Structures are given as structure tokens and as C-alpha cells.
Amino acid sequence: MNTPQATTASSAAQVRQQLYRDMSPLNLTPLWEVLHALVPPQPSSPCVSSLWKYDQIRPFLMRAGQAITAEEAVRRVLILENPALRGQSAITQSLYAGLQLILPGEVAPSHRHTQSALRFIVEGEGAYTAVDGERTTMHPGDFIITPSWTWHDHGHEADGPVVWLDGLDIPMIRFFDAGFAENGTARSQSVSRAEGASFARYGHNMAPVRGDAPFGTTSPIFSYPYARSREALHQLERDTPLDAWDGFKLRYVNPLTGGSPMPTMATFMQRLPSGFSGKPYRQTDGAVFSVVEGTGSVRVGDGAAAQTFTFGPRDHFVIPSWHTARFATEAGCVLFSFTDRPVHQALGIHHEERLS
Ligand code: 1HN
């Protein structure tokens, strides 16, 4: 027998369910059923942490090299998909990552799009990317930029396969429904400036007296060579106290603003010295890592959900938003990473917690 109270509760539930059904055809839905999930007490990313071991991935990259040419593929890339976002071409809710292969003699044809791209060179030497009439030769560890809406193509006139990490803001631009793209008419753009022209103008703590930022809010430097970043980290290590969370960590800057090299993505290089056992931290910007040198491990998540990844050179991993991360290394290592931090900062929603 139903008590009067239970009857009241069940009839209230019935009244509500009937309300939902009746108004649904008008595309109306009650907030109170979803309010908690819409504004969770803390970030609850659907993404999961994940590791891609290079020695497992490389054979598939090389098979892709036999299966399709760079020209036919336009971009011969294996996308690093977040296991919880399969089919969405996304490594986090806002970021895309992939490993691109180019072989000697190949051209990846010219095009442009509003999505910004970064390249981080993982394997091989001597391929180039051309941006707005200037070529940049790739070396492992170089960080190279393709600003939004600039013509770009890639080519390889040297020896051996060249592989790089592509980082793009594709999911973010898709979220805003703000993407445009256009194919070039020439297979590869003609070269109009000598290699190194942008670095000569902007790479020495100087800038041309006249003329605005050539790429707006994006850095005028196309390539941040590893030789420089590595040297900077080593100098830092010599005379700076170790940070208990980050080791020795530098951010790449747009020399004209001091801000991030691209409006949507921040990039970092850090060195964890041998014997480093980092403290845990979490931040709202999910991060994609490319291991440059050395070996180490990262523990991501809390309690039973925590995962520990052991990494070596050329491995890649993702730490989603607000997942606690903690690094350790016996031999020491160098890590490159990128995140969507500039957008969090522009919106005033960036949070970071350094735990003990
Ligand atoms: C793109 O243009 C490149 O230029 C790489 O190398 C990856 C993924 C989606 C859309 C455009 C490139 C891309 C891309």
C-alpha cells in the first residue's frame, strides 16, 4: 500500500515526466534535471590520460608511408585520439594532436586555414615547412609555427623519414564554428624570403622599428630551434633553484608581446634533472607532451583511477584538465608540451593548484 507521502512523490514525478514529454516537441527541456552536470563543483573532463609509445606507433607510420603518398593524403598524419573521444579527432576537448610523416622527395601541398598549428620535430632531419614564402628546415626538438590563415606546405629534399608532432586548435575552432580553409593553386608556394629572415628580424631581442606584427597575435618567429631552447634550459639549471613541481621549465614567447606564441596555444620545454621526484599539481589546461630526451614517469589521476606512464624519447602523452600529475625521473629528461592556456587566461578561468 502506498503511503500518502509516497503517492504525492510519485504523482509529482508523473506530473514532471508528463511535462517533459509534452514540451519536448517544442525543444524545451528542464534545467533542474541537468544543472549539477552543467556547473560541476570542479572540472570533470570526459578525457582520459593516455600514452602513445613511439616504438609501437612508428611501424604504423611507416606502413602509412607505403599506403599513401603525402600528396594524395594532403597531410599524412596518424591522429592521436583521446581514448574517451574516439572519432572526434581530438586529444583533449579543445586540442588536436597527430604525428605527421614525410618521406624524401615528397610534398605536402600548400593550403591555409584559420586553425593555428604547431610542429614539434620528433624524428629525422632536413624536411622543411614553408610559411608565407619562407622555408624553415626541421631538426629534432625544433618548435615551428604555422600562424592562422597563412599559406603553408611541407617538403623533404634530404634523406630518411621525417616525423613531427602536429598540435592544432581544431576542436576549439570547431566549437566556435569559425573555421575556414582554402587550397593553394601551386603545389608548393614560391620562396620569397631567405631562410632565417624571420629569426633575423625577431629572434635576437630586437624588432624592426617600423611595421606591425606580421601575423597579428601570433609570433613573427616561425621556428624556435632546439639548439637555443636546450641551451636556455641548461643555463637555467646552472643557476636557478629547482622547482619542486616543474623541474626547470620555460615557456616559449611571442617576442613582440611576451605572451604565448599563438593566441590559442601555449608551448613549454622543461628539464627534469636526474633523481627528480616532483610534487603533484593540477591545472585547468589539459596538456599534450612530447618526450625529447631521457626517460621518466608520470602518475596521472588520483586514487584507484590513477595511472602511471613510463616514457622515453619520442613518446607522447596527454594529461587532461584538472587531473593531478606528478613527474619522476632517475636518469633525467627533457619534455616539450602544449596546452590551451592562453584561452583560459583570456577568459579569466585559468586555475592551477600546486599540491604537496
Ligand atoms: C594541417 O594543415 C596540417 O599543415 C597538419 O601539416 C594536420 C590536421 C587537420 C587539418 C589541417 C599541416 C592538420 C592540418
Side-chain angles (χ1 to χ4, degrees):
M1 273 258 302
N2 280 341
T3 63
Q5 266 169 345
T7 309
T8 311
S10 80
S11 74
Q14 281 171 8
V15 166
R16 289 172 194 174
Q17 289 306 322
Q18 193 58 48
L19 168 65
Y20 304 165
R21 277 194 298 274
D22 291 348
M23 67 186 178
S24 180
L26 296 182
N27 303 308
L28 296 170
T29 193
L31 171 62
W32 58 88
E33 295 287 348
V34 294
L35 182 57
H36 189 72
L38 282 183
V39 284
Q42 56 179 28
S44 63
S45 175
C47 301
V48 294
S49 57
S50 188
L51 169 73
W52 290 265
K53 297 290 286 180
Y54 196 67
D55 60 2
Q56 292 179 343
I57 288 172
R58 194 179 187 280
F60 293 107
L61 270 169
M62 296 308 139
R63 268 172 68 180
Q66 311 227 297
I68 192 164
T69 64
E71 188 132 17
E72 197 185 348
V74 182
R75 297 294 185 262
R76 190 204 282 118
V77 180
L78 301 186
I79 303 174
L80 307 182
E81 275 196 327
N82 193 289
L85 304 176
R86 293 307 307 272
Q88 296 182 41
S89 304
I91 192 159
T92 69
Q93 295 264 77
S94 60
L95 297 173
Y96 159 104
L99 288 172
Q100 180 159 177
L101 168 69
I102 195 159
L103 294 169
E106 288 192 319
V107 165
S110 188
H111 70 187
R112 61 177 178 174
H113 37 73
T114 42
Q115 291 84 356
S116 295
L118 67 87
R119 330 278 169 199
F120 186 73
I121 316 310
V122 168
E123 176 186 343
E125 194 96 41
Y128 67 83
T129 185
V131 171
D132 245 29
E134 182 177 334
R135 281 186 181 180
T136 297
T137 304
M138 300 176 172
H139 315 275
D142 292 354
F143 157 54
I144 294 174
I145 286 178
T146 308
S148 173
W149 206 241
T150 51
W151 293 109
H152 56 283
D153 51 74
H154 317 300
H156 189 10
E157 291 160 3
D159 301 318
V162 173
V163 176
W164 64 83
L165 171 70
D166 284 315
L168 288 91
D169 51 14
I170 291 173
M172 198 187 310
I173 303 302
R174 181 168 59 201
F175 174 79
F176 291 118
D177 287 334
F180 294 86
E182 197 177 358
N183 285 325
T185 45
R187 191 159 159 264
S188 47
Q189 60 187 287
S190 49
V191 174
S192 59
R193 272 174 299 147
E195 173 152 7
S198 72
F199 200 86
R201 283 165 180 70
Y202 300 98
H204 303 285
N205 296 314
M206 303 183 90
V209 175
R210 274 168 246 288
D212 289 333
F215 303 106
T217 50
T218 300
S219 172
I221 294 181
F222 296 135
S223 177
Y224 295 74
Y226 185 47
R228 292 291 193 99
S229 335
R230 193 169 196 273
E231 175 61 20
L233 279 179
H234 277 275
Q235 289 285 353
L236 194 68
E237 186 168 354
R238 237 167 274 165
D239 58 12
T240 312
L242 177 73
D243 182 278
W245 294 267
D246 291 338
F248 302 101
K249 187 170 185 176
L250 292 171
R251 62 183 178 92
Y252 291 86
V253 298
N254 174 344
L256 295 179
T257 64
S260 59
M262 285 159 290
T264 50
M265 293 183 283
T267 47
F268 307 88
M269 181 85 79
Q270 74 197 103
R271 178 163 157 72
L272 309 180
S274 66
F276 181 76
S277 179
K279 292 185 175 178
Y281 70 93
R282 53 187 177 172
Q283 56 192 39
T284 51
D285 48 331
V288 180
F289 284 80
S290 181
V291 183
V292 192
E293 296 184 43
T295 55
S297 68
V298 59
R299 184 172 184 271
V300 189
D302 295 298
Q307 282 188 287
T308 299
F309 300 128
T310 305
F311 54 76
R314 300 169 178 167
D315 291 346
H316 293 82
F317 56 91
V318 58
I319 303 176
S321 167
W322 217 239
H323 283 50
T324 305
R326 146 178 239 166
F327 284 101
T329 173
E330 271 169 39
C333 58
V334 177
L335 309 174
F336 171 85
S337 59
F338 72 97
T339 83
D340 56 1
R341 185 174 304 182
V343 182
H344 292 237
Q345 289 174 328
L347 302 180
I349 55 168
H350 187 252
H351 280 266
E352 182 183 31
E353 240 178 41
R354 307 188 109 195
L355 311 161
S356 51

